[in-house]
Amino acid sequence: MSPHAWIFCVLLCVLTCARSKSAYKGPVLSRKQRLVEDATNGAPRKCSYTFLVPEQKITGPICASQGPSLPDKERVTQSDIADVRELLTNKESRNMNSRITQLYMQLLHEIIRKRDNSLELAQLEGRILNSTAEVLRLSTLYRELEVRFSSLAALVNNQSLLIAALEERCLQVYGNHRLESLPLPLVQVVPENIPVYVSPRTAPAPTGGLLDLQHPPQGNVSLEGNEPITHSLLMLTAHQRCAFTHLCVLVSRGPFRDCLQAMQAGHSTRGAYLLKPDGTETPVQAWCEHDVDRGGWTLIQRRKDGSVNFFRNWDSYKKGFGDVDGEHWLGLENIYNLGKQEDYKLLVELEDWMGKKVYAAYSSFHLEPESQSYRLRLGTYQGNAGDSLSSHNGKQFTTLDHDNDAFSGNCAHFHKAGWWYSACGQANLNGVWYSGGVYRSRFQDGVFWADYGGGFYSMKSVRMMIRPID
């Protein structure tokens, strides 16, 4: 119903009530007639007012009219009220259905989520069971390894006792040396970062082979690329110092005074060459390295696989031993003869068990003669391996049967090698070759360089080489 109809109804109710309460039942005069009557009666004129009431929304109850009925289209009936109630009921019912549907969907999503959580929980339980089984398996393997380690440790202890007995017997045989009760001074330098062993690598196979002197090859056989054997007599063993002089005469180019002269003569391939230093009569086989720092380097020592025993006497270290294409020591007398030709420099290459290579270079290098026990003379240090050799500068060479160190005992006995020991020293490149880096021993007898890895870290490979100073 429109607002005008509601207002009209209210006014009609008010008029009807007023008429029923009034006692006046005469004719109703119009405004104009009342004005004329008042003028005739001589009454004073009064002002009349007309009020415009603004439209208002009906919020209270509606009075039922006692007067004549309104037209049907403007009348509020019981059916209208019933229709309103039905409309409100339908709206409330729709709202209720919507809310029920929403709750149902939420419940459905919650059920699905709980089912997914149950599946994830079942998968997690399966993984936990698998991990538990794997842990049990690893625990069993660990116990087996512990048993094996215990047996190996017992074996090592037995071997250590045997070695100690043999060492004591060896000292008794030599006679002039007794086993000192004083402890061996340990290396004081312990780097912060010790190289960690990752995995063993197979040492590279040496190039070439050994030359059979009883059945020499026929023709111009090449063992090192395009280098003929008649030019350099490659791959002789180091202890064969060209004893057959008539075979050396067959060399058309050479022998050379050192590896730099061989490279300058056009032999740029790395390998074994025949060298004859100035003032010597017998040539010697040596390995020439031409792939390092412009080439021309003569190797005086190499360690790479532990195939050669370096715990030897004075005579062996003087003459040299090992295979020139593998582990070898060139010989103190040969190193002395090479170094006295002119000014040489020294390069020491070290490789740890992670494959990292470092070096230590010294600006000058030579040895004094045997009368001075091949005393070491070094120049200034340069490199990234740390200076562990300068402390040996000016020291005489020591072996088990020639004790020239400053220690009360024999450093060669404790370090299992021959070296320029002091008391005893920071480097032991002729020591025992231990696989894996960090080793366990009664003494610091590995192939160690104290400023790189410490005294109980054995290097994987070592090369010492000399070259004339430019």
Side-chain angles (χ1 to χ4, degrees):
M1 185 178 293
S2 64
H4 296 284
W6 285 103
I7 295 172
F8 181 78
C9 258
V10 171
L11 294 177
L12 183 60
C13 290
V14 172
L15 291 176
T16 304
C17 292
R19 286 180 181 180
S20 61
K21 294 181 180 181
S22 176
Y24 179 75
K25 298 182 181 179
V28 179
L29 300 177
S30 65
R31 182 186 176 203
K32 187 176 180 180
Q33 289 175 349
R34 288 198 305 272
L35 292 175
V36 173
E37 184 178 356
D38 294 337
T40 305
N41 296 331
R45 296 182 178 179
K46 296 180 180 181
C47 296
S48 61
Y49 299 94
T50 303
F51 297 94
L52 298 178
V53 181
E55 296 182 358
Q56 296 181 357
K57 294 182 180 180
I58 305 301
T59 59
I62 300 175
C63 299
S65 175
Q66 297 180 0
S69 301
L70 295 174
D72 292 338
K73 64 179 181 178
E74 302 293 339
R75 182 180 179 183
V76 177
T77 62
Q78 294 293 334
S79 62
D80 293 335
I81 296 174
D83 291 340
V84 171
R85 289 178 177 174
E86 183 179 2
L87 179 62
L88 294 176
T89 302
N90 292 336
K91 185 175 181 181
E92 184 178 359
S93 177
R94 287 194 299 272
N95 292 337
M96 185 63 68
N97 292 337
S98 176
R99 179 60 177 167
I100 291 174
T101 303
Q102 183 180 2
L103 293 175
Y104 175 76
M105 295 301 296
Q106 290 180 357
L107 180 61
L108 184 61
H109 286 302
E110 186 69 18
I111 292 173
I112 294 175
R113 188 179 64 82
K114 288 185 176 180
R115 186 188 63 182
D116 294 340
N117 289 341
S118 300
L119 293 176
E120 292 179 358
L121 182 61
Q123 294 176 358
L124 181 60
E125 289 177 351
R127 289 198 294 268
I128 291 175
L129 291 176
N130 294 337
S131 299
T132 304
E134 183 67 18
V135 168
L136 292 176
R137 187 182 68 84
L138 292 177
S139 178
T140 303
L141 291 177
Y142 177 75
R143 286 193 293 269
E144 293 177 356
L145 289 176
E146 279 186 335
V147 174
R148 294 176 58 187
F149 176 78
S150 299
S151 61
L152 290 176
L155 179 61
V156 169
N157 291 333
N158 294 334
Q159 295 294 330
S160 298
L161 294 176
L162 179 60
I163 291 174
L166 291 176
E167 289 172 351
E168 185 177 359
R169 177 60 179 167
C170 184
L171 290 176
Q172 293 174 358
V173 170
Y174 282 107
N176 295 328
H177 302 275
R178 60 185 180 87
L179 185 61
E180 299 289 342
S181 59
L182 296 177
L184 174 70
L186 299 180
V187 174
Q188 300 299 323
V189 178
V190 180
E192 296 181 359
N193 298 322
I194 296 179
V196 179
Y197 171 63
V198 177
S199 62
R201 295 183 177 89
T202 304
T207 59
L210 297 180
L211 179 63
D212 188 357
L213 296 179
Q214 296 179 355
H215 302 86
Q218 302 295 327
N220 210 18
V221 181
S222 175
L223 294 179
E224 192 71 18
N226 297 325
E227 184 68 17
I229 193 171
T230 55
H231 290 169
S232 58
L233 289 176
L234 301 177
M235 305 310 171
L236 284 171
T237 58
H239 65 275
Q240 292 172 327
R241 303 299 174 182
C242 199
F244 302 94
T245 309
H246 65 279
L247 184 60
C248 297
V249 178
L250 297 177
V251 180
S252 59
R253 285 188 289 179
F256 308 100
R257 65 195 305 262
D258 56 22
C259 290
L260 179 60
Q261 188 184 59
M263 186 184 69
Q264 293 173 347
H267 301 278
S268 59
T269 305
R270 59 191 295 265
Y273 287 82
L274 194 63
L275 304 182
K276 186 176 179 295
D278 297 340
T280 61
E281 298 179 357
T282 305
V284 60
Q285 284 289 322
W287 184 274
C288 293
E289 184 60 59
H290 298 314
D291 296 339
V292 176
D293 190 18
R294 297 176 298 164
W297 293 91
T298 304
L299 259 70
I300 62 175
Q301 187 255 28
R302 172 158 52 191
R303 308 295 304 277
K304 65 176 184 177
D305 54 15
S307 59
V308 176
N309 180 19
F310 275 67
F311 192 26
R312 296 177 179 247
N313 59 14
W314 180 269
D315 190 59
S316 293
Y317 270 100
K318 176 182 176 181
K319 296 179 179 178
F321 53 87
D323 294 330
V324 70
D325 56 345
E327 290 197 340
H328 72 279
W329 174 259
L330 186 59
L332 292 169
E333 187 66 22
N334 296 322
I335 298 173
Y336 163 72
N337 290 329
L338 283 170
K340 72 178 182 179
Q341 298 181 115
E342 55 180 298
D343 294 332
Y344 281 77
K345 58 184 177 180
L346 173 67
L347 175 64
V348 180
E349 281 189 347
L350 307 168
E351 181 183 6
D352 62 25
W353 288 87
M354 294 178 64
K356 181 180 179 181
K357 293 183 178 181
V358 293
Y359 75 97
Y362 295 87
S363 60
S364 63
F365 168 85
H366 73 274
L367 301 182
E368 294 184 358
E370 186 179 9
S371 60
Q372 295 296 320
S373 299
Y374 300 109
R375 191 185 304 272
L376 176 64
R377 296 299 182 184
L378 286 176
T380 58
Y381 160 80
Q382 180 183 5
N384 59 358
D387 184 10
S388 293
L389 195 58
S390 291
S391 60
H392 299 264
N393 187 23
K395 303 303 183 291
Q396 296 178 332
F397 202 85
T398 292
T399 60
L400 189 62
D401 55 340
H402 276 66
D403 187 2
N404 298 312
D405 57 57
F407 184 54
S408 57
N410 189 334
C411 291
H413 163 70
F414 293 104
H415 286 307
K416 306 295 186 298
W419 194 252
W420 298 277
Y421 293 117
S422 175
C424 284
Q426 303 292 307
N428 190 45
L429 301 186
N430 289 336
V432 181
W433 188 89
Y434 289 102
S435 176
V438 179
Y439 63 92
R440 297 178 61 183
S441 176
R442 294 175 59 194
F443 311 112
Q444 292 177 331
D445 53 6
V447 183
F448 69 81
W449 187 268
D451 284 279
Y452 188 84
F456 282 101
Y457 186 89
S458 185
M459 306 303 297
K460 179 182 178 181
S461 65
V462 176
R463 294 196 305 178
M464 299 177 64
M465 56 191 83
I466 59 175
R467 184 183 190 274
I469 300 175
D470 298 333

